[in-house]
Amino acid sequence: HLALQTRGFVILAGVSGTGKTWLAQAYADAVGAKCLVVPVAPNWTTNEDLLGYRNPLDGAYHHTAFSLFLKDAAAEYQRAVGEGTTPRPYHLVLDEMNLARVEYYFARFLSAMEIRARGGRAEIELGDERVPLTPNLRFIGTVNVDETTHGFADKVYDRAQLIELDAPRDILEEHLARLPYRDVVMDVWDAAHQVAPFAFRVLDEIAEYIEAAEELEVGWEELLDEQLLQKVLPKIRGTDTRLGEALERVARIAADRFPLTYTKANEMLERFRQHGFTSYF
């Protein structure tokens, strides 16, 4: 709350599935903000990917959901100032914002936010129209840090408040409540989290999968075996020297109880021993 109030741009970082986007939306609901979630695409390279562009053939401006959101925020601010009331907050959530290079597609906003922070009039050009970057518009970016994402330049860190969200073991264990497979899942988490972290999303999907199969009268051990195979083992990949130990520990946990997981973990372990690299496929 303080980070967003003071700077207007907050980056929420953490392992996939820790609830970063959920937190941004829940906070917007709590403060009565209008919220727009924009998924960032890996092929974004220019400001136009976020803001839209003017068609040179017909002269018309092709808006995006965000450019319209930007205009709505400015109109709301001007209306509130005219009436002497408090403007409604507008929160833009850039989901997985570092799938593309932030300093490319977000360049105009980085400069405009610096002007706004100094008390100046910051504007964004949308074709022939200049839309003010009003104080009621704030930005939240969610980021995962792994081999599929880009790092940030210092100019991004300088203009944002960075908050790292963690998923501590005791909270994950509590999240599983008294489910019969809690201890097994946490044993697997202990074995894998240093090289293949997973959090609430994976736990929820495992629970939903097992619950959905209750009518089939299938035991939870068989279902958990399928879920460890489908949701956890694909995350164990790369050349990290700790991968071998992680796979060995998973294989020991799975032995005699989870045949699908045991077989696949040993296949991946053998691949790692031979090539110094492993993956699910």
Side-chain angles (χ1 to χ4, degrees):
H1 174 76
L2 291 175
L4 200 59
Q5 294 295 323
T6 55
R7 190 57 180 171
F9 180 24
V10 171
I11 295 173
L12 300 176
V15 173
S16 177
T18 51
K20 300 180 293 295
T21 306
W22 173 87
L23 175 60
Q25 292 173 306
Y27 175 75
D29 290 340
V31 299
K34 188 172 183 179
C35 183
L36 175 67
V37 178
V38 176
V40 173
N43 62 340
W44 283 12
T45 56
T46 68
N47 294 278
E48 285 71 24
D49 292 311
L50 181 62
L51 287 171
Y53 63 95
R54 186 224 275 273
N55 188 328
L57 298 179
D58 59 15
Y61 194 85
H62 289 249
H63 284 279
T64 63
F66 173 61
S67 65
L68 296 175
F69 190 75
L70 174 66
K71 293 179 65 175
D72 285 348
E76 165 63 17
Y77 183 79
Q78 291 165 355
R79 179 203 62 76
V81 169
E83 297 177 358
T85 59
T86 301
R88 183 182 184 184
Y90 277 62
H91 292 180
L92 171 72
V93 180
L94 290 170
D95 199 26
E96 298 193 56
M97 69 180 301
N98 60 333
L99 281 179
R101 291 197 175 276
V102 179
E103 58 270 27
Y104 290 176
Y105 72 85
F106 206 54
R108 290 188 196 172
F109 287 95
L110 293 174
S111 298
M113 280 190 285
E114 189 66 21
I115 296 172
R116 185 176 71 174
R118 295 174 181 173
R121 179 178 171 83
E123 295 180 325
I124 301 295
E125 292 185 13
L126 300 178
D128 295 330
E129 188 176 9
R130 300 179 70 87
V131 180
L133 189 63
T134 50
N136 63 323
L137 178 62
R138 300 186 175 104
F139 302 88
I140 301 99
T142 70
V143 303
N144 299 323
V145 182
D146 57 34
E147 71 278 3
T148 68
T149 59
H150 298 280
F152 290 128
D154 284 344
K155 65 183 296 184
V156 179
Y157 287 123
D158 289 345
R159 289 161 174 78
Q161 294 277 4
L162 176 64
I163 300 174
E164 185 175 17
L165 300 184
D166 195 9
R169 188 189 193 283
D170 57 333
I171 302 299
L172 294 175
E173 187 174 29
E174 181 181 344
H175 189 71
L176 291 171
R178 300 187 181 186
L179 295 172
Y181 48 85
R182 181 188 65 181
D183 292 343
V184 177
V185 171
M186 294 313 302
D187 286 345
V188 172
W189 187 88
D190 289 336
H193 82 278
Q194 291 291 342
V195 292
F198 59 92
F200 300 105
R201 183 184 297 118
V202 169
L203 300 186
D204 288 343
E205 292 188 9
I206 290 174
E208 290 174 9
Y209 186 90
I210 294 175
E211 182 179 349
E214 285 182 351
E215 295 181 359
L216 302 178
E217 298 182 358
V218 180
W220 66 260
E221 289 193 345
E222 181 178 345
L223 297 168
L224 182 59
D225 188 17
E226 294 171 359
Q227 283 296 274
L228 295 176
L229 180 73
Q230 295 168 203
K231 300 297 299 183
V232 176
L233 288 182
K235 291 178 172 289
I236 303 177
R237 62 187 185 275
T239 59
D240 192 310
T241 55
R242 296 172 296 179
L243 287 169
E245 181 184 354
L247 287 167
E248 287 176 357
R249 292 178 63 182
V250 171
R252 285 198 298 269
I253 295 167
D256 302 323
R257 296 185 69 186
F258 308 111
L260 298 176
T261 302
Y262 177 76
T263 300
K264 191 67 174 182
N266 277 301
E267 288 178 5
M268 295 171 66
L269 178 60
E270 183 62 26
R271 192 177 301 128
F272 181 76
R273 287 170 174 167
Q274 289 182 356
H275 306 293
F277 169 85
T278 195
S279 66
Y280 189 82
F281 296 108

